[in-house]
Amino acid sequence: MGRYVVVHQTPAGTDLPIINLTGSAAIRVKIYDLVLGFDGTPADVAGEFVIDRTTDAGTGGTALTENPLDPLTVAATGAGIGGTFTTAPTDGATPVVLLMIALNQRATFRWVAAPGGELISTATAANGLMLNSTGMSSGTPNTNATIYWEE
C-alpha cells in the first residue's frame, strides 16, 4: 500500500472533469484528502464540484504525475488524468456521487476523510474516482486541485 498526491489546474465549467484517478481489479483508489481553490482575480462566482465513481478512464486529457508521499514507495498503479478530455470518464447513467462541494471562487476548501471514511473506487478494471466541476455561476475560473490517495 502506498500513499500518493496529484495536483492539477484546469478551467472549471459545466460537467467538466478536473482529475480522474483510475484503479484496476487488483488496486482500489482511496481518496482521503482533497484541496480545491481558484487562482486569478477573485470574483463572486459560485461553483459546484462532485467526486463520482467512474467505470472507465475516458480519453484525451493530460497524464498527471502521481508523486509518492514516501520516496521509497513504488510508483502508483492508479493512473491520474486531468485537463480537457476528448471523451469524459463515464460516471454511469445514475452517477454515484460520493462527495458534493459548493464553493465560492474567493474561498479555498479542504476535505479530510474521517478514519475509515475514505472515498473508494470499485475493484474493477478501469474503474476509478473523478473530481468533476458540475457547474459555475459565471465564467470558467482556473480550478486548482490537490488529491491525496492510497492504493
Side-chain angles (χ1 to χ4, degrees), residues 15 50 52-56 88-97 130 132:
D15 201 23
V50 296
D52 292 330
R53 284 197 177 112
T54 59
T55 57
D56 65 42
T90 303
D91 56 7
T94 306
V96 177
V97 175
M130 169 178 60
N132 194 27

Side-chain angles (χ1 to χ4, degrees), residues 8-12 18 36-39 49 133 136 141-145:
H8 188 60
Q9 175 193 69
T10 192
I18 296 172
L36 277 176
F38 302 93
D39 63 13
F49 302 87
S133 172
M136 299 299 293
N142 271 342
T143 302
N144 299 281

Side-chain angles (χ1 to χ4, degrees), residues 87-103:
T87 304
T90 303
D91 56 7
T94 306
V96 177
V97 175
L98 302 176
L99 182 65
M100 181 180 284
I101 304 158
L103 185 62

Side-chain angles (χ1 to χ4, degrees), residues 9-133:
Q9 175 193 69
T10 192
T14 300
D15 201 23
L16 179 69
I18 296 172
I19 296 176
N20 186 53
L21 299 173
T22 306
S24 68
I27 301 293
R28 296 188 306 162
V29 175
K30 300 177 184 179
I31 295 176
Y32 64 87
D33 200 337
L34 165 73
V35 181
L36 277 176
F38 302 93
D39 63 13
T41 304
D44 282 324
V45 174
E48 187 174 88
F49 302 87
V50 296
I51 294 185
D52 292 330
R53 284 197 177 112
T54 59
T55 57
D56 65 42
T59 59
T62 303
L64 303 177
T65 302
E66 305 91 6
N67 294 302
L69 296 182
D70 179 346
L72 298 178
T73 302
V74 297
T77 302
I81 301 173
T84 305
F85 288 81
T86 307
T87 304
T90 303
D91 56 7
T94 306
V96 177
V97 175
L98 302 176
L99 182 65
M100 181 180 284
I101 304 158
L103 185 62
N104 186 287
Q105 185 185 352
R106 294 180 185 269
T108 297
F109 175 83
R110 182 173 182 209
W111 173 83
V112 180
E118 298 85 0
L119 307 178
I120 304 173
S121 68
T122 307
T124 305
N127 281 220
L129 298 171
M130 169 178 60
L131 173 61
N132 194 27
S133 172

